[in-house]
Amino acid sequence: MDLQRVWSFVILSAVILLVYSTCSVTAGDIVHDDENAPKKPGCENNFVLVKVQTWVNGVEASEFVGVGARFGRTIVSKEKNANQTRLTLADPRDCCSAPKNKLAGDVIMVDRGKCRFTTKANHAEAAGASAVLIINNQKELYKMVCEPDETDLNIHIPAVMLPQDAGLSLERMLLNSSSAVFVQLYSPLRPVVDIAEVFLWLMAVGTILCASYWSAWSAREEAIEHDKLLKDAIDEIPSEKAMGLGGVVDISTTSAVLFVFIASCFLVILYKLMSALLIDLLVVLFCIGGAEVAVIELPSILETSFYISSSWLNLVIYVCFFRWFRHTAESYIKVPILGAVSYLTLAVSPFCIVFSVLWGVYREVSFAWIGQDILGIALIITVLQIVHIPNLKVGTVLLSCAFLYDIFWVFLSKKVFHESVMIVVARGDKSGEDGIPMLLKIPRMFDPWGGYSIIGFGDILLPGLLVAFSLRYDWLSNRTLRAGYFLWAMLAYGLGLLITYVALNLMDGHGQPALLYIVPFTLGTFLTLGKKRGELRNLWSRGDPDRPCPHIQLQQSHELDEDK
């Protein structure tokens, strides 16, 4: 199984290096300000998304999304306050001169032409229009701003930009002579807190909790096995393979720094080469990693759960399943390349592979996020089982580097690339796809704009390494929850992630680097407790509690027996 665990680590490392720590963002920001479009009197609106609902002959039809202009009257936020108004096609189409047809409060649809946006709006208002829809000449939206030398900005009707495909649809409706087309313009407000963020918080915290207990249980079993070997008076110290440690990888200080540097290089490559083909490649890697992890690690998780579950649950599991699971888990068959594989692994393999493949094929359906989260959680738990930080020094270096990495690629990268590299990569911009797969996400349930609340793997993995280390330390030193470090580390992580979502909502949904808030809470709590308890030196350098060696305990018991 060592070869399998090494292969598992290779796959997982490749996946995580592709996207090391994606920030927490929400899809579909509805309010946005732009420093490149300065405000001035008459031209100081925020750019907001606008819903354009249509009716054809009294029957509700398609809904389109546009963006409001910097100038003009602000658009109402509540649907009940928005009027249904007849839509009219401009003549001339670009509205760079006064329309030939008089408008009695109609909404006029014009093409993006050679004149200024404010000129179109002024002509539409003078003709009696109640609003103007400007159709872009591209599929993307465009922010309508005012030129520095413009003075005629006393515009009292709203102006909205729509993408090219929306304009073509509206034009087809209008050119049908038997159709009467009405539109309703409004910009609904996003709720302050969506329940999706609560579930995502629980998912992140629960993932670290499960991974920490599995990692600590494995470490304790290895320590017990090691003690037994020493008590049996083995002449030589057993090798790592004999102790069952061959599948664990300890991060060093150098590798922690290099990991962040390499991750930055991969992030830039993703940003520069972002395309549908690259997203498909990431999906394939994600499916391979998720299936491989489930095949190899699921039997271990099942076996571990029998031992760390509650006593009454153990009784039920033992009566119903345990004897069969234990027999199949301890019976092996030799498989080419992989070596010895248990029958339990072979039994669960087809289900894991089929699940992963089905998600990859149908990942664009509305409920595909469930499969993505399952595969993602499996990946995260396995990484936290395989990869360990040996002491607090390595944890401090790793989290400090990740802290700077997250801040730079979310905020400071705008100075170099003119946009946030991390957010662009996370959302899959320029690829035509719905973001990269290396995220946990939940659809926003009460948001009129839809979208997803998401959190990157790195925002769970990196703090999770420190939290898992704290529980291993507590169990090996036989500490209670209150006297140990794990409880406080978990509380610190949960609070840090909660503050992240508070900041996210205060910033109108703009992307936030989660590690900016999580790292100070988790690392600061650990360092403070270690200093207060006088254990910081041991935590910093050794990372293991002081435990008397079993052979010394055995020798001391013999000496006591002889004295008696």
Side-chain angles (χ1 to χ4, degrees):
M1 297 297 291
D2 287 341
L3 179 59
Q4 297 177 42
R5 293 179 71 87
V6 170
W7 173 242
S8 172
F9 177 67
V10 170
I11 290 291
L12 294 173
S13 297
V15 169
I16 292 166
L17 274 174
L18 286 171
V19 183
Y20 181 65
S21 176
T22 310
C23 63
S24 299
V25 298
T26 54
D29 296 341
I30 63 169
V31 179
H32 182 61
D33 208 355
D34 193 340
E35 296 177 357
N36 297 324
K39 296 180 179 181
K40 58 181 179 180
C43 192
E44 52 190 1
N45 297 338
N46 288 328
F47 296 111
V48 297
L49 292 182
V50 180
K51 289 193 174 187
V52 181
Q53 180 63 57
T54 63
W55 282 264
V56 178
N57 294 329
V59 179
E60 187 172 344
S62 302
E63 181 181 86
F64 306 101
V65 176
V67 61
R70 185 67 109 184
F71 53 85
R73 194 183 71 206
T74 57
I75 298 169
V76 298
S77 60
K78 294 183 179 180
E79 184 179 4
K80 64 180 182 180
N81 295 333
N83 298 321
Q84 294 184 24
T85 310
R86 179 183 290 274
L87 180 65
T88 302
L89 192 61
D91 182 21
R93 293 287 296 271
D94 59 9
C95 205
C96 288
S97 59
K100 298 178 182 179
N101 48 336
K102 294 299 180 180
L103 309 172
D106 294 351
V107 175
I108 187 172
M109 187 175 81
V110 307
D111 293 338
R112 181 179 176 182
K114 298 180 180 179
C115 60
R116 296 174 174 178
F117 296 121
T118 53
T119 301
K120 299 175 186 292
N122 278 314
H123 284 153
E125 184 179 7
S130 60
V132 56
L133 298 181
I134 300 178
I135 308 302
N136 196 12
N137 52 16
Q138 298 178 3
K139 292 184 178 180
E140 294 80 18
L141 291 172
Y142 183 84
K143 297 175 183 177
M144 295 185 289
V145 299
C146 305
E147 299 295 335
D149 58 343
E150 288 191 72
T151 56
D152 191 10
L153 299 176
N154 191 24
I155 301 171
H156 300 288
I157 62 172
V160 178
M161 170 73 73
L162 286 176
Q164 186 180 47
D165 54 352
L168 293 175
S169 298
L170 289 172
E171 185 176 353
R172 284 194 294 268
M173 296 178 188
L174 290 170
L175 293 180
N176 187 343
S177 58
S178 62
S179 298
V181 181
F182 286 77
V183 295
Q184 185 180 37
L185 310 181
Y186 63 103
S187 179
L189 300 176
R190 171 164 284 162
V192 177
V193 178
D194 192 274
I195 195 171
E197 295 174 357
V198 177
F199 284 117
L200 198 62
W201 183 89
L202 291 173
M203 189 185 298
V205 172
T207 299
I208 290 183
L209 187 67
C210 295
S212 299
Y213 269 94
W214 186 24
S215 176
W217 183 87
S218 300
R220 186 170 66 177
E221 290 298 305
E222 290 163 359
I224 292 173
E225 186 65 24
H226 187 198
D227 291 349
K228 288 180 180 178
L229 291 173
L230 292 176
K231 286 181 180 180
D232 291 340
I234 294 180
D235 295 332
E236 297 180 358
I237 297 177
S239 64
E240 286 188 351
K241 186 175 180 180
M243 293 163 54
L245 301 175
V248 174
V249 178
D250 282 337
I251 301 176
S252 65
T253 305
T254 303
S255 62
V257 177
L258 287 177
F259 204 36
V260 175
F261 173 76
I262 296 172
S264 297
C265 296
F266 269 95
L267 191 64
V268 173
I269 292 173
L270 285 174
Y271 173 74
K272 292 295 185 180
L273 303 180
M274 183 62 67
S275 63
L277 181 62
L278 184 59
I279 293 292
D280 290 339
L281 176 61
L282 293 178
V283 168
V284 171
L285 286 175
F286 184 70
C287 290
I288 293 174
E292 193 271 346
V293 162
V295 167
I296 294 177
E297 302 299 339
L298 183 58
S300 300
I301 296 174
L302 291 173
E303 187 178 357
T304 302
S305 65
F306 294 139
Y307 294 100
I308 63 177
S309 59
S310 61
S311 57
W312 64 268
L313 185 59
N314 267 334
L315 179 61
V316 175
I317 292 176
Y318 181 81
V319 172
C320 300
F321 304 106
F322 180 63
R323 282 177 287 185
W324 180 83
F325 271 117
R326 187 170 186 177
H327 175 73
T328 55
E330 294 177 353
S331 301
Y332 292 88
I333 185 174
K334 190 173 183 180
V335 178
I337 300 177
L338 296 178
V341 178
S342 70
Y343 284 103
L344 181 58
T345 298
L346 290 179
V348 301
S349 296
F351 299 100
C352 299
I353 294 173
V354 168
F355 181 85
S356 182
V357 171
L358 285 177
W359 176 84
V361 173
Y362 298 103
R363 69 183 187 276
E364 294 183 358
V365 300
S366 59
F367 53 86
W369 60 273
I370 300 174
Q372 179 172 326
D373 288 348
I374 292 173
L375 292 174
I377 290 173
L379 282 168
I380 293 171
I381 291 177
T382 303
V383 171
L384 292 178
Q385 166 68 7
I386 295 175
V387 182
H388 290 177
I389 55 173
N391 51 51
L392 189 54
K393 176 183 178 181
V394 174
T396 301
V397 172
L398 179 64
L399 289 179
S400 298
C401 291
F403 175 81
L404 298 175
Y405 167 94
D406 226 11
I407 293 175
F408 177 81
W409 289 113
V410 174
F411 291 144
L412 302 182
S413 60
K414 294 180 181 179
K415 303 295 183 182
V416 180
F417 300 93
H418 307 295
E419 57 186 348
S420 174
V421 173
M422 184 77 79
I423 296 176
V424 169
V425 171
R427 293 189 305 212
D429 293 359
K430 307 175 185 177
S431 68
E433 299 281 345
D434 187 20
I436 58 174
M438 287 73 178
L439 301 163
L440 299 184
K441 66 180 186 178
I442 297 180
R444 297 178 66 86
M445 302 176 187
F446 300 104
D447 193 331
W449 295 102
Y452 292 88
S453 291
I454 65 177
I455 185 171
F457 285 178
D459 299 330
I460 302 174
L461 273 173
L462 298 178
L465 290 170
L466 185 64
V467 176
F469 165 75
S470 68
L471 187 59
R472 290 196 302 270
Y473 187 91
D474 289 351
W475 278 22
L476 292 176
S477 57
N478 296 318
R479 293 172 183 255
T480 62
L481 273 179
R482 187 172 182 180
Y485 293 91
F486 172 71
L487 174 63
W488 309 109
M490 278 299 306
L491 291 175
Y493 175 78
L495 184 58
L497 187 58
L498 179 63
I499 297 299
T500 301
Y501 284 113
V502 171
L504 190 67
N505 289 306
L506 290 177
M507 296 296 290
D508 294 321
H510 291 194
Q512 291 293 299
L515 296 182
L516 170 65
Y517 309 96
I518 294 173
V519 169
F521 274 91
T522 53
L523 192 57
T525 299
F526 216 118
L527 292 171
T528 302
L529 278 177
K531 180 69 174 178
K532 182 178 180 180
R533 296 172 177 176
E535 299 175 337
L536 186 57
R537 183 182 298 274
N538 186 42
L539 288 167
W540 185 264
S541 56
R542 287 184 54 192
D544 290 325
D546 294 324
R547 296 189 307 140
C549 294
H551 64 280
I552 295 178
Q553 288 181 326
L554 187 62
Q555 181 179 355
Q556 290 174 346
S557 64
H558 284 317
E559 291 175 354
L560 289 174
D561 291 340
E562 290 176 359
D563 292 340
K564 291 180 180 178

